[in-house]
């Protein structure tokens, strides 16, 4: 369905990509995502039910959304995740999911039936001890096994790797080596500031540093710059002789705000027009009252800032008084 303008902000950006967090719960405790002492979980009555998730998604599809990504927390830990995935799969959109990979074996047939063709897996180290350290759990072997399972089932795999200096930036070439013989896209993500994740710029591995590392092994002539998809957050590359590819998401050093087409729905039914925004529009009360949420959606998008929720320079972006007012990553849904 053509976007009729309601999903357009005052800068002319059209939003056809909805990311829905279906839970705040997770079976990992990744350091960059969740504060060490955890978060205060939203009481269940304040969370979206499966019917409400589907209803809100249907409204967005009627307004022009063509892609929906399910996130969390870890979306697959939700007890009715199977039902939600299957129902959203009937909306005629490009349905995708971001998961930590632990429970994938239980959902392969669900993914197929719902038409999910691409699965994003968050994994930040190929070294078992380091994986366990950053996730504060011990699921490394299970995740590796499920990545192989997805390959066997011919599903597209994207590995999301948050790079943190002095932790896993020495694994950049190891991750790229995976793409030599496997049809996998590795996506390197710059470490971003959120409440409770002890962010500071010294931990950032920038786009330039990532490319410098790649070029330390491969000649420039071997590194192919691929064509990015419209409104893509990633800059895509491929080593000529490799089966897979790699990409860099540089939200900090090279923000892609001018082409942003994303809008986010939190598990408690609040709309965020930017990952970095502390401003949210609650939809549930209006939906439960039987009233239209479309005016709220329109209002939310018209309030969207041009760049990173108004943090339009480096000093603002590094100011903890600004980014600490936002939710932790696990409560946003990415």
């Amino acid at each position: 369905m053509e976007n009729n303008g309601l999903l357009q902000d005052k800068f002319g950006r059209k939003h056809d990509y909805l990311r829905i967090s279906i839970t705040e719960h997770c079976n990992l405790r990744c350091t960059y995502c969740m504060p060490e002492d955890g978060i205060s979980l939203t009481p269940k009555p304040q969370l979206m039910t499966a019917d409400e998730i589907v209803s809100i998604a249907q409204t967005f599809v009627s307004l022009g959304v063509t892609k929906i990504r399910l996130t969390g927390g870890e979306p697959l830990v939700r007890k009715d995740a199977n039902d939600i995935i299957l129902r959203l799969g009937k909306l005629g959109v490009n349905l995708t999911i971001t998961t930590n990979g632990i429970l994938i074996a239980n959902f392969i047939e669900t993914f197929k039936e719902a038409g999910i063709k691409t699965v994003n897996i968050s994994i930040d180290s190929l070294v078992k001890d380091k994986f366990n350290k950053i996730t504060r759990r011990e699921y490394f072997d299970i995740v590796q096994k499920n990545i192989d399972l997805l390959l066997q089932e011919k599903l597209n795999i994207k590995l999301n790797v948050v790079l943190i200096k002095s932790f896993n930036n020495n694994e950049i070439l190891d991750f790229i080596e995976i793409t030599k013989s496997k049809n996998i896209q590795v996506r390197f993500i710059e470490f971003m500031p959120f409440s409770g994740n002890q962010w500071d710029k010294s931990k950032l591995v920038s786009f330039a540093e990532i490319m410098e590392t790649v070029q330390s092994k491969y000649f420039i002539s071997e590194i192919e710059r691929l064509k990015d998809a419209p409104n893509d957050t990633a800059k895509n590359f491929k080593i000529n002789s490799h089966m897979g590819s790699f990409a860099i998401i540089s939200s900090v050093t090279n923000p892609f705000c001018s082409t942003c087409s994303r809008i986010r729905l939190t598990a408690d039914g609040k709309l965020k027009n930017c990952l970095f925004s502390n401003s949210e529009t609650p939809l549930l009360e209006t939906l439960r009252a039987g009233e239209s949420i479309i005016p709220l959606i329109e209002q939310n998008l018209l309030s969207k800032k041009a760049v990173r929720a108004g943090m339009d320079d480096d000093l603002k972006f590094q100011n903890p008084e600004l980014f600490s007012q936002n939710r932790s990553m696990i409560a946003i849904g990415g």
Side-chain angles (χ1 to χ4, degrees), residues 114-157:
I116 291 178
K117 296 179 174 62
T118 300
V119 178
N120 288 34
I121 297 180
S122 300
I123 179 171
D124 302 307
S125 180
L126 298 172
V127 179
K128 188 172 183 176
D129 288 345
K130 287 168 68 174
F131 175 93
N132 293 344
K133 180 180 178 180
I134 200 167
T135 63
R136 305 189 184 108
R137 294 293 186 272
E138 297 185 0
Y139 287 112
F140 181 81
D141 294 334
I142 292 174
V143 173
Q144 293 296 317
K145 183 178 179 180
N146 283 334
I147 290 172
D148 290 338
L149 177 60
L150 288 173
L151 285 171
Q152 293 169 19
E153 297 292 340
K154 308 298 184 185
L155 289 168
N156 299 319
I157 304 172

Side-chain angles (χ1 to χ4, degrees), residues 136-192:
R136 305 189 184 108
R137 294 293 186 272
E138 297 185 0
Y139 287 112
F140 181 81
D141 294 334
I142 292 174
V143 173
Q144 293 296 317
K145 183 178 179 180
N146 283 334
I147 290 172
D148 290 338
L149 177 60
L150 288 173
L151 285 171
Q152 293 169 19
E153 297 292 340
K154 308 298 184 185
L155 289 168
N156 299 319
I157 304 172
K158 295 181 179 181
L159 301 183
N160 290 345
V161 185
V162 176
L163 290 176
I164 302 174
K165 193 164 288 184
S166 300
F167 178 74
N168 62 352
N169 56 307
N170 63 342
E171 294 188 62
I172 291 172
L173 294 177
D174 294 331
F175 272 105
I176 289 179
E177 185 65 18
I178 292 176
T179 71
K180 185 174 183 177
S181 58
K182 295 180 179 180
N183 188 22
I184 286 176
Q185 184 190 72
V186 174
R187 309 197 323 159
F188 299 114
I189 303 171
E190 290 182 343
F191 185 35
M192 294 177 284

Side-chain angles (χ1 to χ4, degrees), residues 7 15 47 60 69 106 121 176 235 279 300:
L7 294 182
H15 297 73
L47 297 173
F60 271 97
R69 177 177 299 282
N106 300 332
I121 297 180
I176 289 179
K235 296 176 177 64
S279 176
N300 180 278

Side-chain angles (χ1 to χ4, degrees), residues 47-110:
L47 297 173
M48 295 185 293
T49 64
D51 288 344
E52 289 166 343
I53 290 170
V54 174
S55 175
I56 293 174
Q58 288 172 328
T59 297
F60 271 97
V61 171
S62 75
L63 296 173
V65 159
T66 58
K67 180 177 180 178
I68 293 176
R69 177 177 299 282
L70 297 181
T71 67
E74 166 51 44
L76 299 182
V77 301
R78 180 162 168 154
K79 292 180 179 179
D80 55 358
N82 188 75
D83 177 55
I84 292 169
I85 292 169
L86 292 176
R87 291 172 70 182
L88 293 178
K90 296 177 181 178
L91 297 184
V93 298
N94 175 13
L95 183 63
T96 60
I97 189 166
T98 296
T99 170
N100 58 34
I102 295 170
L103 298 173
I104 277 176
N106 300 332
F107 286 87
I108 289 291
E109 295 307 315
T110 300

Side-chain angles (χ1 to χ4, degrees), residues 29-38 134 136 164-165 191-204 318 320 323-324 327-329:
R29 294 292 183 271
C30 297
T31 58
Y32 59 83
C33 180
M34 181 183 286
E36 189 169 3
D37 55 356
I134 200 167
R136 305 189 184 108
I164 302 174
K165 193 164 288 184
F191 185 35
M192 294 177 284
F194 295 97
S195 176
N197 73 350
Q198 286 82 51
W199 184 90
D200 69 66
K201 199 171 183 182
S202 68
K203 298 178 182 179
L204 175 72
Q318 293 188 62
F323 67 72
S324 64
R327 298 184 184 219
S328 59
M329 188 62 153

